[in-house]
Amino acid sequence: MRAVVVDSSNQIRVDSRPDPALPGPDGAIVKVEAASICGSDLHFLEGHYPIVDPISVGHEAVGTIVETGSEVSGFRKGDRVLVSSVAGCGRCAGCATHDPIRCVRGPQIFGAGALGGAQAELLAVPAADFQLLAMPEGISTEQALLLTDNLATGWAAAKRADIPIGGTVAVIGLGAVGMCALRSALTLGAAQVFAVDPVEARRKRAEAWGAVGLTPPSAQPIREATGGLGVDAVIDAVGSDASINDAIDAVRTGGTVSIVGVHDLQPYPLPALACLIRSLTIRLTTAPVQQTWPELIPLLQAGRMDVDGIFTTTMALDDAAAVYTAALSRDGEHLKIQLTP
C-alpha cells in the first residue's frame, strides 16, 4: 500500500509499505477513503519531536471496513466508518467512560509510531468496536473527518472553558482546531468571541463567522474591550509559551484558560503565584473523542453546529510533499486539507 511517511531528516514522502495485518481478533482493517492533515502532524516536520525511523503519519480517517476479527461484533465488511484519532484498549474501566485518554493500558494515537498512520490506503484498527463509528446519517465526509479529532478537540476545549451564557471568550490560534473551538464557543452560548491569529486571512475567516479579529499578543486590546476585566474564558489552540502567556494575561480574575494547543517538549514556566492570586482555572485537554460523538452528531445533523468552510483544500495522497508544504505555510488559504488515496 501507499502511505505518507516522515523520516528523521524531517522530510515527507509517499512510501510503498506492506499491507497491514489484522491487529488481533478484536481489530479491523479499514480502506481509507479520505484522511486529513492536523496541525499536530506538522510538529514532526518542524523537528519538535524526535524520529528514529520513518513513521507513517496521520490520525484522521474515514473509510470502509475490508476485514474484521472474530471478536468484532458491531461492524462487518463493507461498513463505512470513521476512526477515532485516539485509541484505547476498549476493555478497561477508563475506556468504559468513552474517553480513550483514560485507558488503563495507556492511550495511543494513530500516526505517532506504534499505530499505523491514517494518511495511507489501509489502516489497521485495534479494538474496532471501541475505535470505530458507523457513518451517521446526514453527515458528510468532511464533517466525519472533523469528528475524528479537530471538532472533538475544539468542542472539548470550549466545554472545559466554563463559558457562561452570554459570556466573552478569546480563541488564540485560528487553525482548524481553533476554528472548531470558535464555532463551539458560539454554540455553547458565548456572546462575543475574540479571534487571535497573526495571519490576516485566518482572522478574516473568523470575522465572517461573527468574531472580533485581533493580532497577538491580544491581552491589552481584550482588556480595553472588556472594561479592563479580561474575558471570561480563553481557549488556546496554539500551546506555545507565548500563547499560554497571552491567554493568562487576557483572562479575567476567576476565569478559565483551556489549552488544547500542542506544546513542544520544553518545560513551560508557569507563573503559579500570579495564577493563584487571581484564582485562575487552567485546563489542558486531549479530546475524549468517543465521548463527544453523542453531543456533536445531533448538532451537526440538525444544523446547529456549523463547520462549513473549515475544509478548504482537497489533494491526492501522492501529492503529500506539496500538500505539507501548503499546510506548513499557515497562510490562511489552506486552513484544513483533505487527502484522498
Side-chain angles (χ1 to χ4, degrees), residues 10 19 40 50 53 96 126 154 183 185 254 264 292 312:
N10 308 120
D19 290 354
S40 58
D53 298 311
R183 301 289 184 93
D264 61 25
T292 68
T312 55

Side-chain angles (χ1 to χ4, degrees), residues 39 42 172-179 182 195-209 211 213-214 237-238 326-336:
L42 305 182
I172 299 177
L174 301 177
V177 169
M179 292 298 192
L182 187 156
V196 183
D197 198 282
V199 179
E200 182 181 11
R202 290 183 170 191
R203 296 195 303 273
K204 293 295 184 185
R205 288 183 188 276
E207 289 167 358
W209 297 332
L214 296 173
V238 179
L328 283 165
S329 71
R330 296 184 175 89
D331 60 4
E333 178 182 354
H334 304 287
L335 179 61
K336 183 72 174 173

